[in-house]
Amino acid sequence: TALLLSPSTLSKIHHNLGELLLPTKSLTILETIANLGLLYATFIEALQANDIPISQTKPKMVCHSLLVFICPFFVGYALYLAIKNFIKEDSTISNNIIDVTSIYWGTIITSTRFTSIAPILSKLKLLCTYIGQEALFIGLFNDFCTWLLINIILAISTSPSNHNKINLLATSIILLSMVIYMIITLTNDPESENYSNFAAQMILFLVLASGFLTDYIGSHFIFGAYILGRCVPPGILGDTIIEKMEECVDGVLMPLYFVMIGIKLDIFKVISNIMCTSWVIALAIATKVLCTLITGVFCNVSLGHSFPLGVLLSTKGLLPLVLLNVGHERGVITSESFTILYLIMLLSTILAGPIMSVGYKRIRKSNQSNDERILQGAEFSKTLQLITCIYSSRNIPSIMNLLEISNITPEYPALVHVTHLVELVGHASTMLIEHEPPDSFFCANLLSSKIFFDRTRVRSNQIIKAFNEYIDEHNAIKGAFKVLTVVSPFDTMHEDICSLAEDKKTSLIILPFHKQQGVDGMLEDVEIEFGCVNQKVLEMAPCSVALLVDRGLRITSSSLALDNNSLRSIGSGRECVQIAMVYIGGPDDREALTYAWRMVLGQQSCVNLTLIQFFEGDHVMDVDQVTDYLEWCNGNNEVDIANLYSQKERENQVDNDFLQDFEQQTADDDAICYLKYEVNNGDELMDLLRDMNDDYHLYIIGRGKFRFSLLTLGLVDWNECKELGIIGNVLISSDFTSNASVLVIQQYASDGVNQQNFEDKCSEEENDFVNSYHEP
């Protein structure tokens, strides 16, 4: 629309049509209103930047970030010098200004807008992957460098010159004034729960005043608004201002600003030299990608990561558009350069989304085999990759104690990603923060300052501190733990957990159950929203999943002795942890037994394991509930009864071979007890479980999702919590007075059922993204 209204277009129809439709007086008024919209849009963007996704950082990433910014800048600078003879510059522009024009070209081509990258990664569910985290960090680094460079450029082009030379003194004064303004403005005000309307109105007035001040001292008015927005504490005040102003600014004022930019385009001057212009635009668009690929070679970044990274970093935002407009207003950039640079920014941004969506599956594709996604069959001497999710501080003791008895030693290593899940509120983007050890130079405290994500840091502080203390107590396994924070909406939190598991190549995800034991001994809902997250993770997880029902699992130093070579060892007279594994059959039970088996390996284990196997007796009754049973277990409305029993026979053979191997390898282990019970129905099974429910600290069971057993057909009504399976519901029911915790494990489906659900969901997100992606 703006292009059609531009004077260059209207003049082709009639030489006076442009002045008739858009008189000069009206343009002045419209431009004033548009600049007002830009001022408040920048302020709102600063308010939303309170929760910026910050990842771990490494020296390699810092080096790559610097190269990715510097190289495209010099390429853009040289590109203008090479093609300026093909662009008809005004004779009034001096050689000094042309040099500044080259700097404008280099800055616009190398600029990356961080707020343009985060939405793409969030919609494609790449935020919790390595490529997503590297893109976020490099984008943030480039964004900071862009702000800094643009401030310098504006100071240079604003300061008065003498004899066509840059006035260094005036430029230095402008930059010093900006620094003083930032020091005065950036205060660390505490968050408050209540703000009056007068306070919000005064802040909006200060936005105007700060914009006027920074424009007066020689910079641009948007910098005053942005710095003021960053000093407003996150929370109620910021959210209230955003809620009241965002719709008006984004829906009315900013489109007017884009119109004012569009009417300055002179597309016909570019068309007159279309071949040269096309090559310049194509080269400028490819510059960021090519530089990312080349610098990635020196920084040991694979080509598979460098290409999508370069595409993401090519996105442009509002800031280079503002710089382009300022350069045109100050006569630094001619109409030809203005149009070419605008097309470069436009095409670079709108092409990023479709290109990323085309390579979406390739980026997400994991080289992890099905055998690496489960515990069964893996060598215990290999590092076990785990993700333990924590919803609140209430989950810390149970997760710690489960890890305490999981036999994490140098002999049986593991890498545990302790992940704190936080609900995303407000207007921020989904984020993943990987907290570095406190003694690391690139530690999380360096980047997770209040200016970035105060709210998230405060919520995670207790969990980070608790696990850092836990790690310090176990020096021998210090490298076995990584603490992360994932901030995500409840609706998509399960997808971020699955993406993280896919990226980390984990074999097991441990989730806390959303119910916890109350003072009366009954399980109470404490985190209902996370119950839905658990169910969705069980459906989509790219690996095995464990659900921990905490009912007082407490492992203290009085029952464990620590030494320098292992996580724990049994001292004389120490009480061991008693664990029971209820085995009926099926892949989930085999996975559960594998995890329990790992707990008792080695001489340093403090765990006693009792394997309780229930098998069908001679008088088992085949009741007529097969269809209902399988529909409840599998969620399948079409059950093939004909193949049901043949599949059951195959599973029985696999179970027999697995148990026989287990017995042979643990025959001489005194810490393992093997009990076998022949039962004919579910009532007998429940009676046996009741008789032993006070003897154990922890039950480990399989969920039984794909299990068909005649022993549990009569227990289908025990289905209050489907995610726990039939036996899990039985163990947490009010009929059992035991305080034993329950760990329910579901094995990753070797036929890829869960993985297909995950990929189908990702494909659905991809299609929605491609259909809805429109970058301003």
Side-chain angles (χ1 to χ4, degrees):
T1 303
L3 182 61
L4 295 177
L5 293 176
S6 63
S8 61
T9 303
L10 295 176
S11 63
K12 298 296 180 181
I13 302 174
H14 191 275
H15 64 280
N16 289 328
L17 186 59
E19 181 65 23
L20 179 63
L21 295 180
L22 294 172
T24 305
K25 293 183 179 180
S26 64
L27 287 179
T28 304
I29 298 173
L30 290 177
E31 189 168 7
T32 302
I33 300 175
N35 286 332
L36 183 66
L38 175 63
L39 178 73
Y40 282 106
T42 306
F43 176 70
I44 292 176
E45 181 180 316
L47 292 178
Q48 294 174 336
N50 284 321
D51 288 325
I52 291 181
I54 302 294
S55 169
Q56 61 171 342
T57 177
K58 300 176 181 178
K60 182 184 73 172
M61 295 174 64
V62 176
C63 179
H64 196 197
S65 302
L66 189 61
L67 292 175
V68 166
F69 182 79
I70 293 177
C71 293
F73 173 79
F74 283 108
V75 172
Y77 186 95
L79 180 63
Y80 175 78
L81 296 179
I83 59 94
K84 65 178 181 179
N85 293 329
F86 297 95
I87 302 176
K88 298 178 181 179
E89 299 287 355
D90 296 339
S91 59
T92 58
I93 297 180
S94 65
N95 292 330
N96 177 59
I97 296 299
I98 292 178
D99 292 337
V100 176
T101 305
S102 301
I103 298 177
Y104 269 77
W105 271 70
T107 303
I108 291 175
I109 290 177
T110 194
S111 64
T112 296
R113 198 65 183 124
F114 179 80
T115 52
S116 301
I117 297 177
I120 299 177
L121 294 173
S122 179
K123 291 179 180 179
L124 292 179
K125 297 305 170 189
L126 295 173
L127 278 173
C128 293
T129 64
Y130 179 80
I131 178 64
Q133 290 303 296
E134 189 171 13
L136 287 176
F137 177 80
I138 296 179
L140 179 63
F141 186 90
N142 277 228
D143 194 35
F144 172 78
C145 293
T146 301
W147 277 95
L148 181 63
L149 186 57
I150 289 179
N151 262 302
I152 297 175
I153 294 174
L154 291 177
I156 292 175
S157 60
T158 302
S159 59
S161 59
N162 185 22
H163 302 294
N164 293 331
K165 295 182 179 180
I166 297 176
N167 192 329
L168 295 179
L169 178 61
T171 301
S172 301
I173 293 175
I174 293 174
L175 294 177
L176 180 62
S177 301
M178 285 298 301
V179 172
I180 295 174
Y181 171 78
M182 291 177 62
I183 295 174
I184 296 175
T185 307
L186 285 177
T187 57
N188 197 11
D189 297 329
E191 171 67 0
S192 176
E193 294 296 330
N194 297 312
Y195 284 98
S196 63
N197 290 331
F198 178 75
Q201 293 169 1
M202 285 301 300
I203 289 178
L204 296 180
F205 173 77
L206 287 176
V207 174
L208 290 172
S210 60
F212 173 79
L213 177 62
T214 52
D215 186 71
Y216 177 77
I217 62 180
S219 183
H220 196 274
F221 60 82
I222 65 169
F223 292 100
Y226 188 82
I227 295 172
L228 180 63
R230 296 308 297 268
C231 77
V232 175
I236 298 176
L237 178 61
D239 292 341
T240 301
I241 295 175
I242 293 174
E243 182 179 353
K244 290 185 176 181
M245 294 199 60
E246 188 175 29
E247 184 174 352
C248 176
V249 172
D250 292 346
V252 179
L253 298 180
M254 281 309 295
L256 185 59
Y257 181 80
F258 294 133
V259 168
M260 296 304 299
I261 295 291
I263 63 177
K264 297 177 183 179
L265 298 175
D266 194 347
I267 196 69
F268 294 99
K269 289 185 178 180
V270 174
I271 294 177
S272 62
N273 197 0
I274 188 64
M275 291 300 297
C276 176
T277 302
S278 300
W279 279 106
V280 170
I281 293 176
L283 182 59
I285 292 174
T287 294
K288 198 75 172 181
V289 179
L290 294 176
C291 290
T292 306
L293 290 171
I294 296 173
T295 57
V297 174
F298 296 98
C299 298
N300 296 324
V301 180
S302 64
L303 295 179
H305 281 177
S306 294
F307 178 76
L309 185 61
V311 173
L312 287 170
L313 296 176
S314 298
T315 57
K316 313 296 180 184
L318 186 60
L319 191 58
L321 186 63
V322 173
L323 178 64
L324 180 64
N325 189 43
V326 171
H328 186 266
E329 290 177 350
R330 295 180 179 180
V332 178
I333 298 177
T334 63
S335 299
E336 293 83 350
S337 292
F338 181 87
T339 303
I340 293 174
L341 289 173
Y342 179 84
L343 292 176
I344 291 172
M345 289 190 294
L346 179 65
L347 294 176
S348 297
T349 303
I350 65 175
L351 289 177
I355 293 176
M356 286 297 297
S357 64
V358 170
Y360 176 71
K361 292 184 178 180
R362 181 177 296 273
I363 297 171
R364 294 206 59 95
K365 188 176 181 180
S366 174
N367 56 3
Q368 186 180 13
S369 65
N370 287 339
D371 292 338
E372 294 175 327
R373 300 176 186 271
I374 62 176
L375 304 177
Q376 181 186 344
E379 296 181 12
F380 293 119
S381 60
K382 291 185 176 181
T383 302
L384 175 64
Q385 301 282 348
L386 294 176
I387 289 180
T388 59
C389 297
I390 295 179
Y391 297 145
S392 68
S393 58
R394 289 186 293 264
N395 306 135
I396 296 177
S398 59
I399 293 294
M400 278 188 175
N401 286 291
L402 179 62
L403 296 174
E404 189 79 15
I405 62 177
S406 294
N407 200 12
I408 302 175
T409 64
E411 185 180 2
Y412 305 107
L415 179 56
V416 183
H417 301 276
V418 181
T419 307
H420 179 209
L421 299 171
V422 181
E423 179 192 6
L424 176 65
V425 294
H427 302 267
S429 300
T430 300
M431 68 186 78
L432 168 69
I433 308 101
E434 187 165 343
H435 306 280
E436 294 288 346
D439 56 350
S440 172
F441 177 77
F442 296 100
C443 64
N445 293 332
L446 182 65
L447 292 178
S448 45
S449 58
K450 185 183 189 310
I451 196 172
F452 292 122
F453 51 93
D454 179 77
R455 191 182 309 129
T456 302
R457 180 181 58 81
V458 170
R459 292 179 179 180
S460 299
N461 183 62
Q462 183 179 2
I463 294 173
I464 296 170
K465 181 180 178 181
F467 275 94
N468 283 337
E469 293 176 354
Y470 178 81
I471 294 171
D472 291 338
E473 293 176 0
H474 305 86
N475 292 325
I477 58 164
K478 192 170 184 179
F481 291 87
K482 292 186 179 295
V483 184
L484 305 93
T485 299
V486 173
V487 185
S488 177
F490 280 131
D491 293 341
T492 60
M493 187 174 289
H494 62 286
E495 298 175 18
D496 293 311
I497 296 173
C498 294
S499 296
L500 182 63
E502 186 85 22
D503 187 63
K504 301 299 182 181
K505 298 182 180 180
T506 57
S507 300
L508 183 66
I509 301 173
I510 301 177
L511 304 169
F513 191 49
H514 67 282
K515 294 184 179 183
Q516 287 194 336
Q517 194 170 26
V519 293
D520 58 353
M522 301 293 293
L523 290 176
E524 301 174 351
D525 289 319
V526 292
E527 292 154 340
I528 300 177
E529 298 85 356
F530 288 109
C532 297
V533 175
N534 289 341
Q535 293 178 10
K536 294 177 180 178
V537 171
L538 286 168
E539 295 175 0
M540 294 176 54
C543 61
S544 297
V545 181
L547 202 59
L548 177 61
V549 183
D550 178 31
R551 296 202 295 179
L553 179 63
R554 300 292 182 268
I555 311 300
T556 62
S557 58
S558 62
S559 61
L560 301 174
L562 304 177
D563 60 27
N564 294 327
N565 298 320
S566 66
L567 180 60
R568 61 205 174 279
S569 61
I570 306 175
S572 176
R574 298 289 184 181
E575 179 185 359
C576 289
V577 181
Q578 304 296 328
I579 294 178
M581 195 278 137
V582 179
Y583 196 100
I584 297 177
D588 293 349
D589 282 11
R590 294 194 294 270
E591 191 79 349
L593 179 54
T594 302
Y595 191 58
W597 189 358
R598 191 187 195 280
M599 291 181 175
V600 298
L601 291 172
Q603 298 296 323
Q604 308 301 328
S605 176
C606 65
V607 174
N608 285 338
L609 172 63
T610 301
L611 174 59
I612 307 170
Q613 182 187 4
F614 295 102
F615 60 93
E616 298 174 3
D618 297 333
H619 303 288
V620 65
M621 292 185 297
D622 189 359
V623 294
D624 187 20
Q625 295 181 357
V626 176
T627 302
D628 293 339
Y629 175 83
L630 288 179
E631 287 179 0
W632 181 80
C633 290
N634 304 334
N636 185 7
N637 295 325
E638 297 180 0
V639 180
D640 189 356
I641 304 298
N643 296 327
L644 188 60
Y645 285 94
S646 61
Q647 180 182 350
K648 182 175 181 291
E649 290 298 326
R650 291 193 299 269
E651 285 293 335
N652 287 341
Q653 185 61 44
V654 176
D655 287 329
N656 293 334
D657 295 340
F658 180 76
L659 291 173
Q660 184 178 2
D661 181 63
F662 174 79
E663 284 188 85
Q664 290 177 354
Q665 296 192 42
T666 60
D668 299 330
D669 195 338
D670 296 334
I672 297 178
C673 177
Y674 201 159
L675 302 178
K676 295 183 180 182
Y677 294 98
E678 180 180 306
V679 293
N680 296 300
N681 53 58
D683 293 336
E684 294 182 8
L685 188 150
M686 289 184 61
D687 291 339
L688 289 171
L689 290 176
R690 287 194 188 96
D691 293 339
M692 62 182 71
N693 61 33
D694 291 329
D695 299 335
Y696 304 103
H697 300 99
L698 175 67
Y699 282 96
I700 299 180
I701 62 174
R703 185 188 178 197
K705 181 178 181 181
F706 298 105
R707 177 180 62 205
F708 171 55
S709 174
L710 299 177
L711 300 180
T712 54
L713 284 178
L715 303 177
V716 177
D717 293 336
W718 298 74
N719 59 355
E720 180 181 356
C721 300
K722 184 177 178 180
E723 61 267 34
L724 298 180
I726 291 178
I727 301 301
N729 278 277
V730 170
L731 291 175
I732 68 169
S733 67
S734 58
D735 289 358
F736 287 77
T737 58
S738 171
N739 286 327
S741 299
V742 181
L743 185 68
V744 182
I745 297 181
Q746 171 185 284
Q747 186 183 74
Y748 170 77
S750 58
D751 57 357
V753 174
N754 280 30
Q755 182 70 4
Q756 187 62 44
N757 291 338
F758 183 46
E759 292 178 355
D760 289 345
K761 180 64 178 177
C762 291
S763 297
E764 180 183 343
E765 293 284 343
E766 173 195 348
N767 293 333
D768 292 343
F769 173 71
V770 174
N771 294 333
S772 63
Y773 179 77
H774 296 287
E775 192 71 35

